Amino acid sequence: MASRRPINDLDMARWKEYDEILTDSLWLLGKRDNHGAHKPDYWGNFAPQIPYQAMRRFTRQGELVIDPFAGLGTTLIEARRLGRHALGIELNPTVAEAARERIEAQENPFAVQTALLQGDSACSETAERVRCQMEAWGYEQAHLLILHPPYHDIIRFSDDPRDLSNAPSLKAFLAQFEQVVRRFAPLLEAGRFLTLVIGDKYAGGEWLPLGFYTMETVRQQGFRLKSICVKDFHETRGKRGQRSLWRYRALKGNFYVFGHEYVMFFEKRATAASLSR
Ligand SMILES: C[S@@+](CC[C@H](N)C(=O)[O-])C[C@H]1O[C@@H](n2cnc3c(N)ncnc32)[C@H](O)[C@@H]1O
């Protein structure tokens, strides 16, 4: 066993009291949580309930969470609310700056550390900066990774060629995603969890299962798959009001309109080094 310490603060003597913690793989989250500094105004941000569930299940208070695709900082805002330290990385400088402001607007009742670094998560120099920040906070390793990459080119987040949403092909997207996993996996303690949030895409009349492709990438990087949760899809602003158009297209084109995305959970396998510790 890699880690015998509990990986959450749930008291199993009181397990019947945790109604708020999901244990089924079908996540019908309904309305987005808009409390505190959370706002639904960034295309492609996820519901705060996702990092909430991941942190409650797979971290303890005072532990460290890393989000290499931080966007407007949903994970970091939620980390402040839950008393977890958090480090986010975001490529787009404007988004990174806006995220910092938003995170600072969130109360910090547990006095945790949060930092949003601007950089390319696929690059070794960024991983080194993350490592330095961790060291400054007194951490050798993190306790949870949350990855919410672009769903390839479904939403273009910038013009930067290093942005995964600008990958010229599916193959290139998966190669960049693999780089990010390779950079960040070593920063996670063995026996701890990686959460991957992703949806599929449709192109050229074909359903492209980005979820399953990226799942396989993570598995190949020393993780075992623990769960695939299917979450009801938060309607994007673009699709709002176009429901009947999409229904028409689906009927005509012999496909189904996306109503879900995946929240997958992986456990980092113990390495020979961590076993001997
Ligand atoms: C799906 S969004 C994440 C949204 C985030 N979970 C939130 O709630 O705001 C993906 C983010 O990854 C960023 N991104 C794309 N390529 C990146 C890279 N190579 N390194 C770091 N961030 C990247 C995009 O700018 C975008 O903000």
Side-chain angles (χ1 to χ4, degrees):
M1 286 282 287
S3 169
R4 288 180 194 281
R5 281 175 293 136
I7 62 166
N8 59 43
D9 291 321
L10 304 179
D11 175 359
M12 288 312 290
R14 298 172 45 209
W15 67 274
K16 288 188 178 164
E17 295 171 30
Y18 297 114
D19 286 345
E20 72 282 15
I21 306 289
L22 298 174
T23 46
D24 289 342
S25 65
L26 180 61
W27 287 21
L28 302 176
L29 297 184
K31 213 171 154 284
R32 197 175 189 281
D33 174 9
N34 285 332
H35 289 95
H38 291 304
K39 292 196 190 111
D41 53 352
Y42 185 47
W43 277 38
N45 63 6
F46 56 21
Q49 291 97 317
I50 295 175
Y52 171 90
Q53 290 292 333
M55 284 188 246
R56 289 288 311 276
R57 273 305 281 284
F58 303 115
T59 59
R60 310 186 63 152
Q61 233 180 62
E63 290 192 330
L64 175 65
V65 180
I66 301 183
D67 181 343
F69 299 101
L72 268 188
T74 311
T75 297
L76 281 79
I77 293 169
E78 205 54 27
R80 276 196 168 202
R81 298 172 76 187
L82 290 173
R84 275 69 171 163
H85 304 289
L87 240 166
I89 302 91
E90 168 57 45
L91 183 66
N92 185 325
T94 315
V95 174
E97 193 44 46
R100 286 189 195 108
E101 278 172 28
R102 199 163 281 197
I103 294 157
E104 284 312 310
Q106 176 63 49
E107 281 176 27
N108 191 4
F110 301 95
V112 290
Q113 307 271 12
T114 41
L116 199 293
L117 308 181
Q118 188 271 320
D120 172 11
S121 287
C123 140
S124 60
E125 187 254 332
T126 308
E128 197 42 46
R129 282 167 58 213
V130 169
R131 203 185 285 277
C132 287
Q133 184 64 74
M134 288 168 64
E135 217 175 281
W137 289 349
Y139 286 103
E140 258 182 54
Q141 291 198 293
H143 305 101
L144 175 68
L145 295 179
I146 299 185
L147 271 67
H148 184 211
Y151 304 174
H152 190 197
D153 51 4
I154 286 189
I155 299 175
R156 300 260 185 184
F157 289 96
S158 68
D159 295 330
D160 191 320
R162 299 169 301 173
D163 185 328
L164 268 68
S165 68
N166 288 319
S169 64
L170 178 57
K171 200 171 164 206
F173 165 79
L174 291 171
Q176 268 177 281
F177 176 74
E178 183 183 325
Q179 271 309 313
V180 177
V181 179
R182 278 179 186 274
R183 300 287 176 222
F184 285 84
L187 302 180
L188 182 70
E189 193 175 288
R192 291 309 194 104
F193 279 69
L194 180 155
T195 306
L196 170 64
V197 185
I198 192 155
D200 294 331
K201 69 174 262 195
Y202 209 74
E206 198 176 347
W207 184 299
L208 299 175
L210 296 186
F212 297 146
Y213 292 143
T214 49
M215 172 191 79
E216 205 42 40
T217 303
V218 177
R219 288 185 65 233
Q220 295 304 323
Q221 294 303 317
F223 288 85
R224 47 185 200 143
L225 178 66
K226 293 289 285 188
S227 289
I228 300 178
C229 298
V230 174
K231 176 197 157 288
D232 55 343
F233 202 52
H234 178 67
E235 205 173 55
T236 62
R237 283 194 285 175
K239 289 237 180 95
R240 205 169 290 160
Q242 296 184 13
R243 217 187 290 261
S244 53
L245 174 63
W246 279 100
R247 186 168 154 70
Y248 172 81
R249 284 183 182 159
L251 287 169
K252 192 152 169 48
N254 302 324
F255 67 89
Y256 289 86
V257 181
F258 293 121
H260 72 277
E261 54 197 335
Y262 302 104
V263 185
M264 300 186 192
F265 294 93
F266 304 83
E267 184 183 37
K268 183 171 164 179
R269 291 181 190 277
T271 59
S274 65
L275 275 174
S276 62
R277 253 194 268 139

